[in-house]
Amino acid sequence: MSAPLLDIQTMRLSVKTDEGMAQILDHVALTLPRGRILGLVGESGCGKSTLVRAVLGILPRGATVDSGHILFENEDLLRLSEQELAKRIRGSRIGFIPQDPYLALNPVFTVGDQLLSVMRWHAPAPPGVTGRRARMRHHRERLVELLRRVQIPEPEAVLDRYPHQFSGGQRQRLMIAGALACSPRLVIADEPTTALDVTTQLQILKLLKSLVAEFDISMLFVTHDFGVVAQLCDDITVMYAGQTVESGPTAAVLADPQHPYTQALLACHPDRAQSLLGIPGRVPSPLNAPPGCRYAPRCPHAIDDCTRRAPHFAETGAGHLVNCRLAETQPEAA
């Protein structure tokens, strides 16, 4: 098998705060094969956005990577300088679709000015095209074609319009076109359907799935909605309190979730929920994480050993990994 496009292992990251060092990520593991869509799931405050920022190299000041690696096409992104990330990675080899399309575009510049400027800096040189004017013309033609592909009406006229002239769904389509404009190998989508209504959300999900296949790219899709994961993602990684707790093929994880946290999240989905209570307790503060398993204080199945030592990954099926003490003891009990 070929090496995964994105491979994150033993990732530990802390941030200096006024109250001390906050351990935001703790031994995170994530693997994204080529040509697949991986859903990254968890409650707010579980470290999903921080992990994305680490991949893009846009961590806040005071953030320190304590251990681990982020291999992208067999190159450790943590070893690259800011200049290398800006020139060779962000926007070119890794595209990004932001969460809020209303805030992502500058209201004082036309859509064409903004998207074409990204292409001018990050798009690969078109073969056989020389000269500044010829490159600009090529970029404009490619962008118009992408806008047509993401189902924007009258794509030629769109470039001269301003963001306020588009609906939320249309703006998100503009952002998808912008993410694909520089021919990336990986697209990171940070909850791109959160600000959209249900009908538009479904349209965007279908569009993303078709574009991944058409352009032969991989996608890391950050979300808190298992319904979205079921519709879109090939694989899933569940995070809790800065740790990876379960990962595997989407169908296997949804059909037979092994970690108590994954089970609790699925039980909160409207299709399965028995009440509106949700999961008792809250995600622990990264300033004062509990010893052992971080989910143990909220887990109805916790045993004494869960609070004494951190669990280790156990494979419960083909590619289905669970980071839980209970999963470790199952083979012995059998």
Side-chain angles (χ1 to χ4, degrees):
M1 295 180 62
S2 61
L5 182 72
L6 180 68
D7 184 48
I8 302 174
Q9 297 297 331
T10 62
M11 178 76 178
R12 300 183 75 246
L13 183 147
S14 56
V15 176
K16 185 177 181 180
T17 72
D18 293 339
E19 301 176 36
M21 296 299 292
Q23 192 72 53
I24 307 298
L25 301 179
D26 184 28
H27 291 91
V28 171
L30 180 151
T31 301
L32 174 55
R34 298 174 187 270
R36 307 275 287 184
I37 303 176
L38 172 65
L40 183 61
V41 185
E43 291 174 273
S44 297
C46 283
K48 305 187 300 298
S49 295
T50 300
L51 182 60
V52 167
R53 292 171 69 92
V55 174
L56 294 173
I58 52 174
L59 290 168
R61 291 184 179 181
T64 302
V65 177
D66 303 311
S67 66
H69 64 249
I70 301 177
L71 293 182
F72 174 65
E73 295 188 320
N74 294 320
E75 184 175 24
D76 192 351
L77 300 183
L78 296 177
R79 296 182 179 274
L80 301 183
S81 66
E82 168 60 27
Q83 291 75 14
E84 289 178 300
L85 287 169
K87 185 177 181 179
R88 298 196 295 109
I89 304 298
R90 289 198 299 265
S92 52
R93 291 162 62 188
I94 299 180
F96 181 66
I97 304 172
Q99 178 176 350
D100 193 341
Y102 291 94
L103 300 177
L105 293 168
N106 192 320
V108 302
F109 294 100
T110 65
V111 167
D113 285 340
Q114 297 181 65
L115 297 185
L116 288 172
S117 66
V118 174
M119 298 182 71
R120 182 169 65 251
W121 288 103
H122 297 289
V129 179
T130 58
R132 181 173 177 272
R133 289 183 178 273
R135 287 196 300 271
M136 290 177 61
R137 185 166 55 252
H138 174 84
H139 289 162
R140 187 180 182 90
E141 291 172 353
R142 172 170 171 77
L143 183 56
V144 168
E145 181 55 35
L146 281 172
L147 292 174
R148 182 177 291 110
R149 182 62 192 84
V150 298
Q151 301 169 15
I152 292 290
E154 302 179 356
E156 294 85 356
V158 160
L159 301 183
D160 297 320
R161 296 176 185 168
Y162 290 86
H164 72 270
Q165 297 176 278
F166 299 91
S167 67
Q170 289 176 325
R171 293 191 201 191
Q172 199 58 284
R173 292 173 190 270
L174 293 175
M175 300 313 302
I176 294 172
L180 297 174
C182 300
S183 303
R185 303 306 305 150
L186 167 66
V187 170
I188 299 177
D190 187 6
E191 302 193 40
T193 60
T194 298
L196 306 178
D197 61 78
V198 176
T199 302
T200 305
Q201 174 179 289
L202 180 59
Q203 295 172 353
I204 294 296
L205 293 177
K206 289 181 177 179
L207 176 63
L208 288 173
K209 195 172 186 69
S210 65
L211 292 174
V212 166
E214 179 179 342
F215 289 92
D216 190 27
I217 59 177
S218 300
M219 179 174 290
L220 177 60
F221 193 94
V222 181
T223 183
H224 59 271
D225 189 341
F226 273 102
V228 171
V229 171
Q231 295 180 58
L232 179 68
C233 301
D234 303 301
D235 306 290
I236 183 174
T237 292
V238 182
M239 285 186 64
Y240 178 76
Q243 298 179 331
T244 303
V245 298
E246 187 163 3
S247 64
T250 298
V253 173
L254 295 185
D256 187 23
Q258 296 292 308
H259 197 282
Y261 178 60
T262 309
Q263 296 169 1
L265 284 179
L266 283 169
C268 293
H269 194 273
D271 291 342
R272 305 191 186 192
Q274 301 297 317
S275 70
L276 299 177
L277 295 179
I279 305 175
R282 63 181 62 185
V283 179
S285 168
L287 289 165
N288 188 27
C293 174
R294 293 190 175 183
Y295 186 62
R298 304 173 71 184
C299 180
H301 308 292
I303 56 178
D304 290 341
D305 199 39
C306 293
T307 59
R308 289 197 293 263
R309 71 170 181 86
H312 300 288
F313 277 103
E315 186 167 5
T316 62
H320 190 169
L321 301 175
V322 184
N323 192 18
C324 179
R325 179 67 178 129
L326 299 178
E328 293 178 36
T329 60
Q330 282 180 2
E332 301 174 3

